[in-house]
Amino acid sequence: MQRITFVTGGNGGIGTAVVERLLKENYFVLYTYNEHDPDPANILQRYPCSRAYHCNLLDRDEVEHVTKDVIEQYSKVDILINNAGVMLDRVFIKMNWDQWDYVIDVNLKSIFSFSHAFLPYMIKQNYGRIINISSITGLKGFPGKANYSASKAGIVGFTRSLAVEVASKGVTVNAVTPGMIDTKMSKHVPDRYRASILNQIPVHRLGRPEEVASLVAFLAGEDSSYITGEAISVSGGF
């Protein structure tokens, strides 16, 4: 049976790697992108079992439109991967409300929207997987990342609480906490911090998006049914 999978932020960095890995494993993959992401045609042309939705995660009406369309077209979502995320770093004392709200709204509130929309269908069929992409930043403190760290730590708390609520319904909920992964987002880290972080990573390199996707694929599969409420790091031992 081909599982219906929905990935937010599925067209950049880790998201692209996750979408392509799941497509190669015969999932039917729906994913969101926005105007700042690359053209999704690259994936759509190579994988017919995929569909892209333009979605501004700050626009509740647009999010609701997408989730309703998914249910009308496919009747359910078996696997939800909340991956979309943004970073807007600034020293906290200079951070303003807009910078705080923007990161919290995209990284944390969007998880509520999509989980709330698709979870009832998982419960109804007594099967589901929710995988939330957090960050090592949600477990460790970093300068200039109070908003990002708060959002990613919130994802871990959400994951563990929801996992307890739905464990008896056949639904697992887990978080993945990537470390320093070689993506466009990581290239915005200032060189002085980048060098310092690399020195603290025991494997002495950045991670690859495909390595995060590998864990996501496992958590999405049948063999992960006894794993729930966990926050699993892909960080090279950081």
Side-chain angles (χ1 to χ4, degrees), residues 88 92 95-105 146-148 150-151:
L88 195 59
F92 179 71
M95 188 178 293
N96 59 43
W97 276 105
D98 289 341
Q99 292 163 334
W100 177 269
D101 285 345
Y102 174 64
V103 173
I104 296 296
D105 286 351
N147 50 1
Y148 187 76
S151 70

Side-chain angles (χ1 to χ4, degrees), residues 25-41:
E25 296 196 8
N26 198 40
Y27 291 91
F28 193 96
V29 181
L30 317 171
Y31 63 95
T32 70
Y33 71 100
N34 63 39
E35 60 271 17
H36 302 297
D37 290 328
D39 188 340

Side-chain angles (χ1 to χ4, degrees), residues 92-231:
F92 179 71
I93 201 167
K94 296 181 179 180
M95 188 178 293
N96 59 43
W97 276 105
D98 289 341
Q99 292 163 334
W100 177 269
D101 285 345
Y102 174 64
V103 173
I104 296 296
D105 286 351
V106 174
N107 294 2
L108 188 56
K109 289 186 179 179
S110 66
I111 287 180
F112 172 89
S113 299
F114 289 100
S115 300
H116 203 261
F118 297 140
L119 181 60
Y121 301 92
M122 297 181 185
I123 291 174
K124 183 178 180 179
Q125 67 180 5
N126 200 42
Y127 179 91
R129 301 280 188 268
I130 297 177
I131 302 162
N132 302 315
I133 307 301
S134 177
S135 169
I136 198 73
T137 313
L139 308 178
K140 296 169 67 72
F142 291 89
K145 291 184 177 295
N147 50 1
Y148 187 76
S149 295
S151 70
K152 294 300 186 176
I155 289 171
V156 173
F158 171 85
T159 296
R160 289 176 169 157
S161 294
L162 184 59
V164 174
E165 291 188 22
V166 299
S168 64
K169 310 296 184 181
V171 180
T172 65
V173 189
N174 290 289
V176 174
T177 60
M180 193 75 163
I181 307 300
D182 190 10
T183 64
K184 183 171 64 175
M185 184 179 285
S186 70
K187 289 177 171 57
H188 291 296
V189 177
D191 289 342
R192 63 185 183 277
Y193 294 134
R194 189 183 183 92
S196 173
I197 293 171
L198 279 171
N199 287 334
Q200 298 176 62
I201 300 175
V203 302
H204 301 300
R205 67 171 176 84
L206 300 183
R208 298 187 299 273
E210 293 77 14
E211 291 173 308
V212 180
S214 177
L215 175 58
V216 172
F218 172 72
L219 293 174
E222 307 296 329
D223 292 339
S224 66
S225 60
Y226 201 59
I227 301 172
T228 195
E230 298 295 337

Side-chain angles (χ1 to χ4, degrees), residues 6-20 23 29-34 37-40 43 51-53 55 57 81-85:
F6 189 93
V7 183
T8 66
N11 211 55
I14 291 172
T16 297
V18 168
V19 168
E20 293 192 337
L23 286 167
V29 181
L30 317 171
Y31 63 95
T32 70
Y33 71 100
N34 63 39
D37 290 328
D39 188 340
I43 292 176
R51 179 177 175 185
Y53 292 86
C55 188
L57 301 189
I81 300 166
N82 288 304
N83 166 73

Side-chain angles (χ1 to χ4, degrees), residues 4-6 28-33 50-55 60-77 113-114 117-118 121:
I4 304 294
T5 305
F6 189 93
F28 193 96
V29 181
L30 317 171
Y31 63 95
T32 70
Y33 71 100
S50 63
R51 179 177 175 185
Y53 292 86
H54 177 275
C55 188
R60 290 188 181 182
D61 290 338
E62 191 167 353
V63 169
E64 185 175 349
H65 174 76
V66 169
T67 56
K68 283 186 174 180
D69 185 72
V70 168
I71 295 304
E72 288 175 2
Q73 292 291 320
Y74 304 102
S75 302
K76 62 173 183 174
V77 165
S113 299
F114 289 100
F118 297 140
Y121 301 92

